[in-house]
Amino acid sequence: MAQLEDVFKKLVSHCKEYGFIYQSSEIYDGLSAVYDYGPYGVELKNNIKTYWWKSMVQLNENIVGIDSAIFMHPKIWKASGHVDAFNDPLVDNKDSKKRYRADTLIEDAISKIEAKAEKEVEKAKTRFGESFDEQLYRTTNPRVVEYLSKAKEINDRLNSAMTNNNMEELKQIILDLEIADPDSGSRNWTDVRQFNLMFNTQLGNIAGEEGKLYLRPETAQGIFVNFLNVQKTTRQKIPFGIAQIGKAFRNEIVARQFIFRMREFEQMEMQFFVKPGSELQWYEHWKNTRMKWHLALGTPAEKLRFHNHENLAHYANAAVDIQYDFPFGFKELEGIHSRTDFDLKSHQELSGKKLQYFDTEDNESYIPYVVETSIGCDRMFLTILSQAYHEEMVPDAEGGEAQRIVLKLHPALAPVKCAVLPLLKNKPELVEKAKSVMSMLTSSFICTYDDKDAIGRRYRRQDALGTPCCITIDFETLENNTVTIRDRDTLVQERISIEEIERIIENKVSWKNLLS
Ligand code: GAP
């Protein structure tokens, strides 16, 4: 575990050092849980969005995109249930004045109990060696059984309190488990109360409640309220989908783990409108399609898993998360929800406008059911970086070994596709040739030109950015118009003619490699 935390720390500092992600407002000591994307970060993030958009919108004739405004009529959030129920249970420590999510404090306590059970299992594994029957041990060893059943019992209490909005019970669990403030060790807690996660602001020309606007906490509602506009203008027939990428805002109480939980983040969401009764079939379809989308990037299957929701939200009749094994454990990366007709129906009721679809095949009107896929772009960014970050030993120029940090990004996602490197910067003929190669490539790919430091160090810099190809211009280039092209992953250098460079890079970085 300590090792994984170490990897995570290195990943965070790598993001800063190499211009992927900076803390927002850093010169003013930062703004908690808000981050800025640097020059390489924005390219990688744009590529993630392109991959999603191409596979969801471009490759599906029956899915179209929109870009709705962040500000929407405040009644939208009343209809969606966010004004009344988009809450987290909050508890303050009276001594440290620190604020926590009550459910997170309890979940952390459960994890500690589970970790004790795991420690017992690990110890037994070492003790018994080959003959160890882990399953049997887990179900018969008294200490392990006691830890696991205690963890289950608390988990059940937590789930029931959350489902029933029972704040007193949450406080009671904190007291029963003698949970202390992780910061100060104090057990002096306030009562648990609900805290609405929406940020709000005020319209310039209307005072008071009337002019209260919310920053959207999800992009989905912009899709629901445009459902009929889009259906009519694109003449889509059910089943069809509407996709959107955009910012969302949540006043998270506990924001931690870097860009995993932010207060301002970006979502990539798709609402798929289907005939009532067919939603569970489509739910299975999107579950599998979305998992394949993740696997196509080369993420090993064992690092991804489905996690069914035990307690369904009142509007859902099925819900699952795709979890990724982050350096801090398996956590939600994407949600797939069968949302019934809850949202459209609520908007129809509150707005008084019909949001029905006329099915020409069945000659009937109905409010469609919706299957949603929703993924955080920033969380996907963290997944991709966690998967790509490697520290490894490679041969150095002196015949020994040197350590390198390399981002083994899928070439289609890499922020820079190719680096052009003149062997020496003080040889004008090499520089001139390198500049002409650079200008030949820049209209096709994002390239970088680098003539500073020894060639080995320049390769390392590109490895750390995940650049798939390095083109070196040397004295042989001047003689026969050939260059070397170095592969980031295999380190193999091949000599190729200048005319071939563009085709070779295109083959390597093409979206087709991902989308086919
Ligand atoms: N429209 C459905 C919806 O918003 P959600 O599970 O609350 O569902 C969907 O959010 C996805 O958005 C999550 O799976 C996660 O990837 C991302 N997400 C949610 N809250 C986030 C936060 N505070 N920071 C970063 N990403 C977040």
Side-chain angles (χ1 to χ4, degrees):
M1 197 63 184
Q3 239 178 347
L4 286 176
E5 275 167 21
D6 214 32
V7 170
F8 188 50
K9 277 190 195 143
K10 286 183 187 172
L11 197 69
V12 175
S13 62
H14 189 83
C15 280
K16 176 161 187 216
E17 189 180 344
Y18 285 91
F20 284 90
I21 297 173
Y22 313 119
Q23 173 74 63
S24 159
S25 322
E26 197 187 82
I27 59 167
Y28 291 97
D29 295 333
L31 182 63
S32 158
V34 187
Y35 291 91
D36 298 336
Y37 284 80
Y40 300 109
V42 71
E43 294 297 342
L44 176 53
K45 197 177 185 204
N46 283 342
N47 290 339
I48 293 170
K49 290 191 253 183
T50 302
Y51 175 40
W52 187 85
W53 194 263
K54 277 181 184 289
S55 32
M56 298 299 278
V57 179
Q58 198 171 324
L59 291 186
N60 289 295
E61 269 182 51
N62 62 348
I63 301 184
V64 292
I66 61 163
D67 181 14
S68 70
I70 288 173
F71 289 142
M72 292 192 273
H73 197 288
K75 280 189 178 170
I76 287 175
W77 304 111
K78 185 76 190 156
S80 68
H82 284 82
V83 170
D84 297 321
F86 193 52
N87 301 320
D88 275 343
L90 173 152
V91 65
D92 290 301
N93 187 279
K94 291 184 197 163
D95 297 324
S96 71
K97 310 279 180 245
K98 291 241 165 174
R99 182 163 278 189
Y100 297 93
R101 262 177 70 170
D103 55 334
T104 310
L105 283 178
I106 298 168
E107 275 165 6
D108 289 349
I110 295 172
S111 299
K112 277 188 195 150
I113 298 169
E114 284 169 344
K116 283 185 189 166
E118 290 313 312
K119 208 168 159 192
E120 292 293 328
V121 174
E122 285 308 310
K123 271 200 295 193
K125 233 185 232 171
T126 338
R127 201 170 348 121
F128 296 116
E130 294 272 294
S131 62
F132 184 56
D133 183 339
E134 185 174 329
Q135 197 49 37
L136 185 69
Y137 193 78
R138 279 180 186 280
T139 46
T140 52
N141 178 274
R143 230 175 305 172
V144 174
V145 170
E146 189 192 325
Y147 286 139
L148 291 178
S149 61
K150 185 165 182 205
K152 184 176 177 319
E153 181 209 320
I154 304 164
N155 205 21
D156 290 346
R157 275 179 77 187
L158 171 65
N159 283 336
S160 147
M162 292 295 284
T163 313
N164 300 317
N165 249 331
N166 189 343
M167 299 298 111
E168 289 79 28
E169 169 68 351
L170 286 179
K171 169 97 186 260
Q172 197 53 52
I173 301 174
I174 292 176
L175 297 179
D176 291 350
L177 296 180
E178 299 183 353
I179 295 176
D181 177 348
D183 212 52
S184 65
S186 153
R187 294 192 172 86
N188 194 5
W189 298 108
T190 62
D191 285 342
V192 179
R193 61 192 186 284
Q194 292 285 25
F195 174 79
N196 193 285
L197 296 186
M198 282 196 293
F199 283 101
N200 58 58
T201 184
Q202 198 72 25
L203 260 182
N205 56 350
I206 307 176
E209 273 298 302
E210 285 282 284
K212 194 168 177 183
L213 282 188
Y214 296 99
L215 296 192
R216 66 181 178 198
E218 62 170 12
T219 62
Q221 298 303 324
I223 294 179
F224 289 124
V225 296
N226 277 299
F227 154 71
L228 267 193
N229 281 339
V230 175
Q231 192 272 320
K232 284 183 177 151
T233 47
T234 58
R235 286 173 286 117
Q236 287 286 351
K237 285 197 161 60
I238 269 176
F240 78 95
I242 306 178
Q244 161 154 246
I245 298 178
K247 288 267 182 163
F249 304 83
R250 295 182 188 179
N251 200 358
E252 301 282 0
I253 301 164
V254 183
R256 60 181 178 191
Q257 285 149 339
F258 195 36
I259 55 170
F260 180 81
R261 195 176 301 286
M262 303 158 86
R263 298 204 165 101
E264 173 180 340
F265 58 101
E266 217 163 348
Q267 286 186 317
M268 308 191 284
E269 297 199 295
M270 192 275 298
Q271 311 297 321
F272 200 68
F273 300 91
V274 304
K275 192 171 174 172
S278 68
E279 72 277 8
L280 292 180
Q281 245 166 288
W282 284 109
Y283 169 75
E284 285 304 320
H285 166 86
W286 282 110
K287 233 176 103 173
N288 296 327
T289 307
R290 292 304 304 151
M291 183 59 103
K292 279 190 200 148
W293 185 88
H294 290 282
L295 293 170
L297 284 170
T299 311
E302 64 273 16
K303 300 276 274 179
L304 293 161
R305 71 180 186 197
F306 288 118
H307 173 79
N308 285 314
H309 287 207
E310 281 173 28
N311 299 306
L312 291 175
H314 56 288
Y315 54 79
N317 62 4
V320 71
D321 293 337
I322 293 178
Q323 293 186 332
Y324 171 73
D325 190 6
F326 289 96
F328 37 84
F330 271 102
K331 294 268 181 268
E332 174 185 348
L333 166 61
E334 168 157 10
I336 295 124
H337 313 126
S338 174
R339 290 179 78 129
T340 67
D341 57 355
F342 171 82
D343 300 86
L344 289 179
K345 210 163 155 185
S346 305
H347 288 307
Q348 175 170 288
E349 276 166 17
L350 200 62
S351 68
K353 307 275 166 22
K354 275 207 161 166
L355 288 176
Q356 297 202 343
Y357 170 81
F358 181 68
D359 193 323
T360 45
E361 272 171 34
D362 294 347
N363 208 20
E364 59 168 345
S365 289
Y366 53 79
I367 297 179
Y369 270 41
V370 171
V371 176
E372 167 185 75
T373 74
S374 174
I375 177 166
C377 185
D378 313 270
R379 235 174 244 192
M380 189 61 202
F381 190 108
L382 185 57
T383 301
I384 285 171
L385 272 194
S386 308
Q387 201 51 45
Y389 184 91
H390 286 83
E391 289 174 6
E392 58 186 27
M393 300 307 286
V394 289
D396 66 10
E398 285 81 44
E401 278 202 319
Q403 201 203 34
R404 73 162 179 167
I405 293 175
V406 56
L407 294 187
K408 294 190 176 175
L409 296 166
H410 191 291
L413 297 187
V416 177
K417 305 301 184 200
C418 154
V420 177
L421 318 171
L423 189 62
L424 299 168
K425 70 170 172 187
N426 53 3
K427 294 283 175 201
E429 53 290 25
L430 286 182
V431 169
E432 194 188 330
K433 195 71 182 169
K435 292 238 156 115
S436 82
V437 169
M438 177 75 183
S439 68
M440 178 186 92
L441 297 175
T442 43
S443 58
S444 307
F445 313 107
I446 294 200
C447 301
T448 188
Y449 181 89
D450 190 1
D451 60 8
K452 199 167 167 279
D453 301 322
I455 194 78
R457 287 189 70 171
R458 283 184 266 166
Y459 286 150
R460 295 287 164 276
R461 266 203 293 276
Q462 295 308 319
D463 290 343
L465 295 176
T467 309
C469 313
C470 286
I471 307 285
T472 305
I473 315 295
D474 55 18
F475 292 104
E476 206 179 321
T477 314
L478 305 177
E479 285 167 21
N480 61 11
N481 244 10
T482 61
V483 294
T484 63
I485 183 164
R486 172 187 178 270
D487 181 280
R488 176 196 69 198
D489 301 336
T490 63
L491 302 173
V492 170
Q493 298 195 30
E494 266 185 276
R495 191 157 277 281
I496 58 168
S497 76
I498 286 181
E499 292 81 67
E500 285 179 291
I501 301 176
E502 203 168 331
R503 180 185 55 80
I504 291 175
I505 299 178
E506 178 54 33
N507 279 345
K508 200 186 267 273
V509 306
S510 169
W511 284 112
K512 283 187 194 154
N513 301 337
L514 253 183
L515 298 171
S516 59

